[in-house]
Amino acid sequence: MKENNPRIKLYIACSLDGFIARKGGSVDWLTEYENSSETDYGYSEFYASIGTVLIGRKTYEQVLDFGVWPYGEKKTYVFTRQKEPLRREKNVEFVSGNVGEFVRRLKENTDENIWLVGGSQLIRVFLEEDLVQDMIVFVVPVILGSGIPLFDRIGKEVRLRMIDTERYESGLVKLEYEIEGRHKKIANHKRKDIQKFG
Amino acid sequence: MKENNPRIKLYIACSLDGFIARKGGSVDWLTEYENSSETDYGYSEFYASIGTVLIGRKTYEQVLDFGVWPYGEKKTYVFTRQKEPLRREKNVEFVSGNVGEFVRRLKENTDENIWLVGGSQLIRVFLEEDLVQDMIVFVVPVILGSGIPLFDRIGKEVRLRMIDTERYESGLVKLEYEIEGRHKKIANHKRKDIQKFG
């Protein structure tokens, strides 16, 4: 028996108009917040709490462009439909095929929580397939006007439970939600039936 | 001399993925929050503080559909490019032509703040033409997946100053921003020059 049922967590920053990057992938507008001397927005604590990093191919290439691979201590899976080989960083594996099936097996084989880094396309798949449990979104005080959306017209309605907010000196606001999963609802519903007839 | 320089305020609710209404204009997902017995999210206070309501034609028609016209005590201007006559509620006037020019004259003729109700198209024009000073956005704990966006790819970058956040029992979070206007930046820049050379 595993001690802990790992949770998949989105932990990401976006502009007030919901963009995680400019059109070409640039996150230059985030730099002034990343280098804050006052706070790391809980990043160290969060990073220490997760065992695995999940990342889409485009975001992977974007992060590679930054120069230093930042997730070397964590097992990282890069989701890709490309045949062309990609540069492979430390602890990185490439994944194709059924996302839901992969995630089910991954969760069976780890006790530690999992970080869904992004980007837009992978987040969409994860939300549509009910694979995310927690969402920590940092709202940056800027309207970018255009870019890559955090939520790219998700093909379903997702109800959330507000867990925590925090406001930082810099103007960033953390919004932390749990996803009210369908499985949970079904379980509650069953419990009610038992009470009703039991 | 006027005592108070009126401010234009956006005061609006949106889903976490940034939609103010479903595709057809429905705001059924907001109903459970509007009828809260615990709080009105500061609405009464806000409503009492404004003297004028600005609203786009589509949103006006949507509000008319609700049955009871809610802004009767306030002077309301409906922005429209339509020739067809619209039903005219109490204190309502229809406006066409240059938005910036209209707003300049409006601000010269009132001491009270102005509520920019929406919708998407009007908000876009107001942000692009630097006509908004305050933004109070209530983030509703739901991902709708599709709908009418609060910020419909605004054609410019807008920097904001975080003023206040508030988290409500229901899961709504208020994000209150001031817009860091261009005029202000230029003024500061000039002041620096004076110090530099003065």
Side-chain angles (χ1 to χ4, degrees):
Chain A
M1 251 308 261
K2 288 198 304 156
E3 290 196 5
N4 184 32
N5 198 16
R7 297 174 72 87
I8 299 190
K9 293 167 179 271
L10 186 65
Y11 179 99
I12 202 160
C14 70
S15 64
L16 184 63
D17 51 346
F19 296 114
I20 53 178
R22 293 191 199 276
K23 265 178 194 160
S26 165
V27 287
D28 59 327
W29 50 284
L30 278 175
T31 318
E32 62 183 286
Y33 301 100
E34 281 169 351
N35 300 330
S36 166
S37 59
E38 289 165 22
T39 179
D40 74 344
Y41 305 103
Y43 181 78
S44 307
E45 198 185 334
F46 172 78
Y47 189 70
S49 78
I50 58 110
T52 309
V53 167
L54 307 180
I55 189 167
R57 191 263 307 165
K58 279 187 195 166
T59 308
Y60 177 64
E61 289 186 310
Q62 197 71 36
V63 176
L64 287 183
D65 271 355
F66 295 161
V68 182
W69 175 244
Y71 313 127
E73 311 103 82
K74 308 288 180 185
K75 183 78 202 175
T76 298
Y77 295 99
V78 178
F79 291 79
T80 177
R81 279 167 297 207
Q82 273 195 175
K83 292 266 162 59
E84 305 93 80
L86 293 158
R87 202 174 98 200
R88 186 166 161 180
E89 288 290 339
K90 192 183 155 195
N91 289 330
V92 165
E93 254 180 68
F94 298 105
V95 177
S96 52
N98 187 286
V99 174
E101 180 58 26
F102 173 85
V103 168
R104 197 185 56 74
R105 269 185 290 118
L106 175 63
K107 289 182 85 170
E108 277 172 6
N109 286 291
T110 182
D111 280 341
E112 289 179 294
N113 291 326
I114 296 153
W115 180 13
L116 173 61
V117 168
S120 198
Q121 290 180 27
L122 197 63
I123 291 168
R124 188 187 167 132
V125 172
F126 270 68
L127 283 172
E128 287 181 352
E129 301 202 7
D130 292 320
L131 300 172
V132 183
Q133 282 79 53
D134 300 299
M135 301 202 338
I136 303 114
V137 177
F138 294 87
V139 181
V140 179
V142 66
I143 294 170
L144 282 180
S146 63
I148 299 169
L150 168 51
F151 301 110
D152 192 6
R153 299 192 178 250
I154 308 301
K156 61 186 288 191
E157 196 169 316
V158 180
R159 294 188 72 91
L160 309 166
R161 184 168 33 240
M162 164 49 66
I163 300 297
D164 191 33
T165 64
E166 192 163 343
R167 176 184 157 192
Y168 296 91
E169 262 310 304
S170 62
L172 254 66
V173 177
K174 181 181 80 170
L175 301 177
E176 183 170 351
Y177 298 96
E178 250 180 44
I179 290 185
E180 301 194 348
R182 268 192 290 187
H183 300 300
K184 199 165 189 177
K185 273 188 196 157
I186 291 164
N188 283 340
H189 181 66
K190 273 187 188 158
R191 213 173 300 136
K192 261 190 210 157
D193 281 352
I194 292 164
Q195 288 174 338
K196 209 170 171 182
F197 299 108
Chain B
M1 250 308 261
K2 286 199 305 156
E3 291 197 3
N4 184 33
N5 198 16
R7 297 174 73 88
I8 299 191
K9 294 167 178 270
L10 185 65
Y11 179 99
I12 203 162
C14 70
S15 65
L16 184 63
D17 50 347
F19 296 114
I20 53 177
R22 294 192 198 276
K23 264 178 196 160
S26 164
V27 288
D28 58 328
W29 50 285
L30 278 175
T31 317
E32 62 184 286
Y33 301 100
E34 281 170 351
N35 300 329
S36 166
S37 59
E38 289 164 22
T39 179
D40 74 343
Y41 305 104
Y43 181 79
S44 307
E45 199 185 335
F46 172 78
Y47 188 71
S49 77
I50 57 109
T52 309
V53 167
L54 307 180
I55 188 166
R57 193 262 308 164
K58 280 187 195 166
T59 307
Y60 177 64
E61 290 186 308
Q62 198 70 38
V63 176
L64 286 184
D65 270 354
F66 295 161
V68 183
W69 175 246
Y71 312 128
E73 310 102 82
K74 309 289 180 186
K75 182 78 202 173
T76 299
Y77 295 98
V78 178
F79 291 78
T80 178
R81 280 168 296 207
Q82 274 194 174
K83 293 261 162 63
E84 304 94 79
L86 292 159
R87 201 173 98 201
R88 189 168 160 179
E89 288 290 340
K90 193 183 154 194
N91 288 328
V92 165
E93 254 179 67
F94 299 106
V95 176
S96 53
N98 188 284
V99 174
E101 180 56 28
F102 173 84
V103 167
R104 198 184 54 75
R105 270 186 290 120
L106 175 63
K107 289 181 85 170
E108 278 171 5
N109 285 291
T110 181
D111 280 342
E112 290 179 293
N113 291 326
I114 296 154
W115 180 13
L116 174 61
V117 168
S120 199
Q121 289 181 26
L122 196 64
I123 292 168
R124 188 186 168 134
V125 171
F126 270 69
L127 283 171
E128 288 180 354
E129 301 201 8
D130 291 321
L131 300 172
V132 183
Q133 281 81 52
D134 300 298
M135 301 201 340
I136 303 115
V137 176
F138 294 87
V139 181
V140 179
V142 66
I143 295 170
L144 283 181
S146 63
I148 300 169
L150 168 52
F151 301 111
D152 193 6
R153 300 191 177 253
I154 308 301
K156 62 185 287 193
E157 196 169 316
V158 180
R159 294 187 73 91
L160 309 167
R161 185 171 32 241
M162 163 50 65
I163 300 296
D164 190 34
T165 64
E166 191 162 344
R167 176 183 157 194
Y168 296 91
E169 262 310 303
S170 62
L172 254 66
V173 177
K174 180 181 81 172
L175 302 177
E176 183 169 352
Y177 297 97
E178 250 180 44
I179 290 185
E180 300 193 349
R182 269 191 291 185
H183 300 300
K184 198 162 188 179
K185 271 186 196 159
I186 291 164
N188 283 340
H189 181 65
K190 272 188 189 157
R191 212 172 301 137
K192 260 189 211 158
D193 280 353
I194 292 164
Q195 287 174 338
K196 212 170 169 182
F197 299 107

